Amino acid sequence: MTHLEKLAAIRELMKNDGVDAYIIPSADPHISEYLPDFYKSIPFVTGFTGSVSTVVITQDFAGLWTDSRYFVQAEEQLKGSGFELVKLKAQGMPEYIEWLGEQLPQGSKIAFDEKTVSVLLGLQLEQQLAFKDIRFLHSDYVGQIWKDRPALPAEPAFLLSEEVVGQSVESKLAAIRKSLAKQRANFHLVSSLDDMAWIFNLRGQDVGYNPVVLSFALISEDAVKIYIDKNKLSFEDQQKLQNQGVEMLPYDGLASALQALPPSSSILIDPKRNCYFMYKQVANGVKKILETNPSTYLKAIKNEVEIANTRKAMAKDGAAMTKFFKWVKENIGKIEITELSAAEVLKNFRAEQDGFVGESFNTIAGYKAHGALPHYAATPESNVSIKADGLFLVDSGGQYQYGTTDITRVMPMGNNTDEESTDYTLVLKAMIEGCKARFPKGTCGYQIDAITRSPMWDYALNYGHGTGHGVGYYLNVHEGPHIFNASATPIPVELGTITSIEPGIYRIGKHGIRIENLVLTVKDESNEFNEFYAFESLTLAPIDTTLVKKELLETSHINWLNNYHQQVYDKVSPLLNEDEKAFLKEMTKAI
């Protein structure tokens, strides 16, 4: 079926059910960012492959709502599909709800698959459209027309030892139960896969780039039940979970368990990380406490073992990056290098490192104008050759058995313009400004975001994405609850959290520049004014300085860069051969 035929088939199903609008979110029953192939409904229906979007279909309009990171990509991929791009004004906001309120007549019917809508979104749809007496229908029209839909993943899963993660399942459950007691919750529903992985020291291969396993958990004061295909686990791992007081039940058994909860009890449900369908299965009379998963806060603060192992992963990753830079510089103009082939070479260098499991996300290898697309992903159709000219942006990361990495570097390929040099220096200055920040306890992510952007604001420059996101430990590369962006999220930056700092400048049709390090929040100084925190740069990889305009940097930025490069050389060079050491020495020389 073509995309136009799929759109027509969905409209026919809508017509049969008297449905006026059908919503397709980019999600699964675990409200995941990265989806199993089974739930990649938007790419199937529209052809758009970006990771964040929502589709709304009526009988006379079909739109795809997404943010500025994907505008160029969406316009290209939606051509001839019957779907139009609707540009979001604010990233992450469901602006299509207001559109539906304006377009639909009184008493209309809206359908969506409740398993792919978060609790928060489901309630928001009901509340914001109540003035129109909208009726809602739970239906998966995509599934009805997707004849060769992929099966749910059945890959093996495994448990990590306490030596690797630094904390037992029992101690994690105790901390969660302590939080539940404070909130007077008898039960707690966990659907988010990275929370499941953290709580039970569980890892798997069910979702690309994220080492997670399709599963749910129901935790009470005296019992723990996980809903999972237990055949994914070895007999030894099954026994280990049972010995920790964990009962394993079929993956599809959660709904009936929620329906059987005692009417006088209470259950804590994270409205952002559980699906509307499961929320509605909770028995009548059960009090629903809508709060963030306790494990989300606990997971964000890394313990000593996780921090030590992450430092090890960063050194290994830095060695792979150094080898990659050397390979590109020595081979450009001698052999054909494309965006896709470069990404594959980088993956191979990472694979040489012990403990490498896979990439932590799809590598963004964007040459020249492609670098101006923050979430560009090269395809055979878009793939271009890299020449000794312009800028080459590479945003990549690795999953190691002892940590997760995420790094962006820009390689000047030659014949660079003054504008490119200025932009590069200002992005570097902004990144350094964020990395060297000292801030009082209680500081929130939006304050770090503003500190980082300040050097670029001085030149009336800005970027449309956030400055940083939390990063997991051998887990999801995007992790909450804290985030460095402009939204006034009242979550302070805590000791032990790992976060990216990644400012950028994007000139459409010309070039994109983003430089990214991961940082660890550490203690700095205590005095009569407050307890102050700072960042330790975890990422260990050289930053190309050939385009740097020193006159645009202050002494503090130059000192930071030189000290950082000395650390990179000291920690990465022992992992390299003599030629590679010499190359790294040159890249990290003081400016």
Side-chain angles (χ1 to χ4, degrees):
M1 298 174 73
T2 66
H3 296 305
L4 287 171
E5 290 169 338
K6 293 170 185 175
L7 178 57
I10 289 173
R11 282 177 167 153
E12 187 64 25
L13 293 171
M14 291 169 57
K15 184 177 179 182
N16 293 340
D17 288 341
V19 166
D20 300 284
Y22 181 55
I23 302 171
I24 309 175
S26 177
D28 63 6
H30 308 275
I31 315 301
S32 305
E33 176 185 11
Y34 293 97
L35 306 176
D37 290 343
F38 181 90
Y39 286 105
K40 292 181 179 178
S41 298
I42 290 178
F44 169 76
V45 173
T46 71
F48 174 69
T49 59
S51 59
V52 181
S53 62
T54 302
V55 164
V56 177
I57 300 171
T58 66
Q59 288 299 336
D60 54 12
F61 181 78
L64 182 141
W65 275 253
T66 193
D67 62 67
S68 60
R69 296 171 296 171
Y70 301 99
F71 286 169
V72 175
Q73 177 183 348
E75 286 175 343
E76 182 65 30
Q77 292 182 328
L78 293 178
K79 287 178 180 176
S81 69
F83 291 86
E84 296 181 28
L85 167 64
V86 183
K87 297 180 178 181
L88 284 174
K89 300 180 183 69
Q91 184 176 327
M93 299 301 293
E95 296 170 7
Y96 57 87
I97 299 179
E98 182 179 349
W99 182 86
L100 287 167
E102 294 172 349
Q103 299 294 320
L104 297 182
Q106 200 78 15
S108 293
K109 185 188 289 187
I110 295 175
F112 53 81
D113 182 356
E114 292 177 350
K115 292 183 178 180
T116 63
V117 167
S118 71
V119 174
L120 184 67
L121 180 56
L123 295 176
Q124 197 170 350
L125 282 162
E126 286 190 355
Q127 292 163 3
Q128 287 189 223
L129 297 176
F131 77 102
K132 279 286 183 80
D133 298 318
I134 299 293
R135 295 165 295 151
F136 295 95
L137 174 69
H138 168 45
S139 187
D140 178 15
Y141 291 144
V142 175
Q144 293 183 48
I145 68 168
W146 198 345
K147 301 306 179 185
D148 56 348
R149 190 172 194 170
L152 287 174
E155 299 298 322
F158 54 94
L159 301 181
L160 296 177
S161 68
E162 292 176 28
E163 290 75 19
V164 173
V165 295
Q167 192 175 1
S168 69
V169 172
E170 291 96 333
S171 66
K172 293 178 178 181
L173 289 171
I176 290 170
R177 284 176 170 138
K178 184 177 180 180
S179 179
L180 297 181
K182 286 182 179 179
Q183 300 186 69
R184 294 180 173 83
N186 305 116
F187 295 91
H188 175 34
L189 171 61
V190 184
S191 300
S192 41
L193 300 183
D194 59 333
D195 286 292
M196 288 294 301
W198 181 83
I199 295 168
F200 299 103
N201 293 338
L202 174 69
R203 299 294 189 274
Q205 309 168 67
D206 285 355
V207 179
Y209 309 113
N210 297 339
V212 295
V213 186
L214 296 183
S215 53
F216 301 95
L218 196 57
I219 301 171
S220 66
E221 297 109 318
D222 55 7
V224 183
K225 299 178 180 180
I226 64 172
Y227 298 84
I228 187 172
D229 178 0
K230 69 178 185 180
N231 293 322
K232 294 180 178 183
L233 292 165
S234 68
F235 177 76
E236 290 75 17
D237 281 346
Q238 292 182 38
Q239 288 296 117
K240 187 174 182 180
L241 282 173
Q242 289 173 9
N243 293 338
Q244 293 167 330
V246 178
E247 181 182 358
M248 284 173 286
L249 297 164
Y251 176 67
D252 59 2
L254 175 62
S256 58
L258 294 172
Q259 294 162 7
L261 292 177
S264 59
S265 62
S266 58
I267 183 169
L268 189 151
I269 299 177
D270 188 331
K272 295 181 179 179
R273 312 208 74 194
N274 286 279
C275 71
Y276 197 46
F277 176 82
M278 292 303 176
Y279 172 85
K280 293 176 69 175
Q281 303 309 304
V282 175
N284 292 332
V286 176
K287 180 183 178 182
K288 298 166 182 169
I289 302 169
L290 301 183
E291 295 289 347
T292 302
N293 291 333
S295 52
T296 298
Y297 294 104
L298 296 167
K299 170 168 49 67
I301 299 173
K302 307 304 185 274
N303 61 47
E304 291 182 3
V305 171
E306 292 172 321
I307 291 170
N309 284 344
T310 297
R311 290 190 179 114
K312 176 184 174 183
M314 294 296 174
K316 296 284 188 179
D317 209 61
M321 292 298 299
T322 301
K323 293 179 180 184
F324 173 68
F325 295 148
K326 184 174 184 290
W327 177 84
V328 172
K329 288 182 179 291
E330 291 179 350
N331 288 284
I332 194 70
K334 298 177 183 177
I335 63 173
E336 183 180 22
I337 300 175
T338 69
E339 293 168 330
L340 286 176
S341 70
E344 186 64 23
V345 168
L346 176 53
K347 180 180 178 180
N348 291 338
F349 281 129
R350 281 197 169 102
E352 293 176 0
Q353 309 302 315
D354 65 278
F356 177 76
V357 177
E359 295 169 302
S360 56
F361 57 95
N362 189 24
T363 295
I364 299 169
Y367 179 55
K368 286 195 170 181
H370 285 168
L373 310 177
H375 280 231
Y376 171 74
T379 65
E381 293 75 29
S382 70
N383 189 33
V384 296
S385 295
I386 299 159
K387 307 295 184 183
D389 182 71
L391 298 175
F392 180 33
L393 182 151
V394 181
D395 186 349
S396 66
Q399 292 286 7
Y400 298 84
Q401 293 169 352
Y402 39 85
T404 300
T405 69
D406 181 4
I407 175 175
T408 309
R409 293 291 187 263
V410 174
M411 302 179 67
M413 303 309 299
N415 300 317
N416 296 105
T417 66
D418 186 67
E419 180 181 64
E420 289 171 341
S421 183
T422 299
D423 286 353
Y424 185 92
T425 305
L426 292 176
V427 171
L428 175 60
K429 185 176 182 180
M431 196 277 289
I432 294 173
E433 192 71 17
C435 288
K436 73 180 185 68
R438 169 187 281 171
F439 51 95
K441 180 180 179 179
T443 296
C444 295
Y446 59 89
Q447 294 166 293
I448 302 298
D449 180 82
I451 290 170
T452 304
R453 293 175 191 267
S454 178
M456 292 172 55
W457 287 349
D458 288 343
Y459 291 79
L461 296 168
N462 203 8
Y463 47 95
H465 56 75
T467 290
H469 55 83
V471 177
Y473 172 74
Y474 183 19
L475 251 181
N476 295 8
V477 76
H478 292 156
E479 178 179 276
H482 67 294
I483 189 168
F484 296 174
N485 65 17
S487 63
T489 304
I491 298 176
V493 184
E494 299 285 1
L495 292 173
T497 54
I498 296 175
T499 318
S500 68
I501 293 183
E502 47 182 310
I505 292 176
Y506 309 97
R507 297 190 185 274
I508 300 301
K510 292 184 177 181
H511 62 259
I513 300 166
R514 183 167 64 255
I515 304 174
E516 173 187 18
N517 270 12
L518 300 189
V519 295
L520 171 71
T521 308
V522 297
K523 289 184 178 181
D524 184 56
E525 182 178 329
S526 294
N527 55 36
E528 67 269 30
F529 299 104
N530 206 328
E531 183 178 347
F532 282 81
Y533 296 165
F535 292 132
E536 171 195 334
S537 284
L538 292 174
T539 301
L540 294 170
I543 299 169
D544 199 302
T545 59
T546 55
L547 293 188
V548 171
K549 291 185 171 182
K550 284 184 67 174
E551 65 271 19
L552 298 181
L553 300 178
E554 298 167 18
T555 301
S556 62
H557 301 111
I558 294 170
N559 290 341
W560 184 96
L561 181 61
N562 290 339
N563 289 334
Y564 173 73
H565 270 155
Q566 186 61 54
Q567 292 176 29
V568 170
Y569 184 80
D570 291 345
K571 295 177 181 179
V572 174
S573 61
L575 305 175
L576 304 174
N577 64 34
E578 292 305 316
D579 284 346
E580 292 160 350
K581 285 181 183 179
F583 176 83
L584 181 61
K585 189 73 172 177
E586 179 65 20
M587 278 205 78
T588 57
K589 67 182 180 182
I591 64 169

